[in-house]
Amino acid sequence: MHLNYLALAVPFFLTFIGLEYLVSRRRGKRYFKFNDSITNISIGIAERLLDTFTVGLFYFVYDYLYQHYAIFDIKSSVLLWVTLLFCTDFVWYWYHRLAHEVTIFWCAHVVHHQSDEFNYTVSARITVFQAFIRTGFWAVLPVIGFPPAMITSMLLVHGLYPFFIHTRTIGKLGILEYILVTPSHHRVHHASNPKYLDKNYGDVFIIWDKLFGTFQQEEEEPVYGLTKPLESNSFLWQHFHFILEMLYSARAAKGWRNRLRVIFGKPDNVDPAARGILEEKFLLRDRSITETPKLNSYVVWQIATTLTLLFSFLLLEHYVPVFIQVCVTLLILLTLINCGAIMEQKKWVFYLEHARFLVLSLALYYCWPQPALPFVAALILTTAIYFETRLKERYFRLVYGYTRT
């Protein structure tokens, strides 16, 4: 069988997340919060899912640039693999630094910094938008002359290391603190303390920060998250809030120069009042909501099922027809939106169940094209719409433990 063994990354990361949780509990530390961890994992699921469709595109870009614009003809050797590692990390440093210093890039990267906690689940907060921007930076590597196969292999290794530095369970690491980016260094990077802002951009080596003046040692206890906390579990809002804030600020700016300054200048140029205005318009947050055991159990069940589906899909992707790939993608994304909306206790989550039912029906009909299936699906959906009020009441009692008004 032609299996995609990269799917094993899913249980691999989950195992270490579980171990970190157990270690933190054993030490009497609360490094995990339910809503925070669920939203982190949800964003990671979406990124890993969408990567399935973009990795081939990125490889094509590297291959095209290598074939047409490579300056040197680099052959694989131990020395050149080490050189590629340093080049990759150097490019990452500048991508990462500019992702903090340029608004349009911060729109994609801000998602990684929204968590008010710091643990292995935070490493999952990567969006597909970031992947596209990083590819633009890493496109310099095939132009230098590194073969695409070397680049993609190195990116896999380079992408694995940062997972292990997103933790509070590991202290300082002695002499390694002078060479590598350690958990201590990265805790500083994720902190919102004034002295820690915009520091420690390195991914593997800390030498770039020391060379370019962005290094800061961990001293006082970090406070994690954004300087203005997002305070939302919405899957969609976490992805798009800063894009909307940027567009709102650009539209309100006078003259094209000021508008371009908002988009391509520092994130500080975005109107700080924009978020509050946009939250009132789009988010409609109910600050009186409280967690219930039923809500948490339902969300955990959905995330566990989604992770199982994601692992199976990634492992067997070479055998999955394109139509079913689309259906699985829609189903997973709808479920992630659903989980975020449930934690916000939105009433419209009920209608997402209709959408998920439709996707499941289409996938089932593709795999088992029986003439009666569309009729049965239409009958079930029509019945659900007819008894909508009663079904909604039962649904909210099941999910929230009480009826939403």
Side-chain angles (χ1 to χ4, degrees), residues 89-240:
D89 204 56
F90 178 74
V91 173
W92 168 273
Y93 171 86
W94 284 106
Y95 148 73
H96 197 183
R97 181 169 176 172
L98 291 174
H100 282 254
E101 295 180 349
V102 179
T103 304
I104 189 70
F105 295 155
W106 179 242
C107 286
H109 189 61
V110 65
V111 180
H112 187 61
H113 286 268
Q114 290 165 349
S115 177
D116 293 333
E117 293 300 313
F118 191 73
N119 52 55
Y120 284 151
T121 68
V122 175
S123 66
R125 295 188 70 98
I126 305 293
T127 69
V128 73
F129 306 132
Q130 275 186 259
F132 276 96
I133 296 173
R134 286 188 314 218
T135 299
F137 279 83
W138 277 324
V140 70
L141 298 175
V143 173
I144 292 172
F146 290 105
M150 281 185 69
I151 295 171
T152 52
S153 298
M154 180 56 68
L155 292 181
L156 287 175
V157 176
H158 194 267
L160 178 64
Y161 180 81
F163 173 81
F164 294 100
I165 60 177
H166 289 83
T167 183
R168 282 187 272 178
T169 59
I170 298 175
K172 296 192 176 184
L173 299 177
I175 193 171
L176 294 180
E177 298 285 327
Y178 298 96
I179 305 167
L180 300 176
V181 175
T182 64
S184 175
H185 296 327
H186 208 59
R187 287 193 288 268
V188 167
H189 178 70
H190 274 261
S192 58
N193 311 50
K195 70 184 297 182
Y196 291 160
L197 291 177
D198 300 325
K199 301 295 183 182
N200 298 0
Y201 294 114
D203 200 45
V204 175
F205 299 108
I206 199 63
I207 55 177
W208 314 120
D209 287 288
K210 293 187 174 182
L211 185 62
F212 297 111
T214 54
F215 174 73
Q216 172 61 51
Q217 187 175 353
E218 182 182 25
E219 296 170 349
E220 62 192 55
E221 181 72 18
V223 177
Y224 300 102
L226 303 177
T227 53
K228 182 181 179 183
L230 193 61
E231 297 179 351
S232 172
N233 300 306
S234 169
F235 177 81
L236 292 175
W237 189 248
Q238 292 191 41
H239 278 79
F240 297 107

Side-chain angles (χ1 to χ4, degrees), residues 9 24 29 38 48 66 68 72 85 96 98 124 140 159 165 189 267 305 320 325 335 342 364-365 369 375 394 404:
S24 64
K29 304 292 186 179
I38 290 294
R48 192 66 206 78
Y66 177 75
H68 293 83
F72 303 104
L85 173 61
H96 197 183
L98 291 174
V140 70
I165 60 177
H189 178 70
T305 303
V320 181
Q325 289 187 22
T335 301
I342 284 174
L364 182 60
Y365 183 71
F375 174 76
R394 289 181 176 273
R404 294 286 289 156

